[in-house]
Amino acid sequence: MQDNIEAVLALMRYIYDHIMYAELNTKSDYCQVCGFDGEIQVVEEDGKLVWECPHCHNRDQAKMNVARRTCGYIGTQYWNQGRTEEIKDRVLHL
Ligand SMILES: [Zn+2]
């Protein structure tokens, strides 16, 4: 969608005209190691879920910024394994 501004605007217009309360959540994570700007991935490491830059494979949480909507708010802290699993299982609709 980030490369299809026309579709984003059409979606926002539809929301305004028909729903009135909806939003678009974007993945604007940032890897401080390589400068990647996009979606940091959740991967499994020895039975534990960890965050990983898809570009340079950095897994150091102190060297990345991740934001996700949880419980109605955008959070930038790291979450427990249960919430991380729920985030990993989310379905992208658009
Ligand atoms: Zn990276």
Side-chain angles (χ1 to χ4, degrees), residues 31-36 53-58:
C31 175
Q32 298 169 23
V33 173
C34 72
F36 172 78
C53 171
H55 188 253
C56 74
H57 304 289
N58 166 36

Side-chain angles (χ1 to χ4, degrees), residues 12-70:
M12 292 175 75
R13 169 57 75 182
Y14 184 86
I15 289 170
Y16 182 81
D17 289 342
H18 301 281
I19 302 171
M20 291 304 292
Y21 184 80
E23 64 188 56
L24 307 174
N25 288 310
T26 60
K27 309 269 176 45
S28 55
D29 305 330
Y30 181 71
C31 175
Q32 298 169 23
V33 173
C34 72
F36 172 78
D37 183 4
E39 182 178 0
I40 301 285
Q41 304 290 318
V42 177
V43 298
E44 192 171 322
E45 178 183 75
D46 301 325
K48 186 179 173 200
L49 296 175
V50 297
W51 296 86
E52 178 185 272
C53 171
H55 188 253
C56 74
H57 304 289
N58 166 36
R59 292 184 175 181
D60 185 348
Q61 291 184 356
K63 295 180 180 170
M64 63 175 69
N65 303 86
V66 175
R68 291 292 181 281
R69 173 172 284 279
T70 53

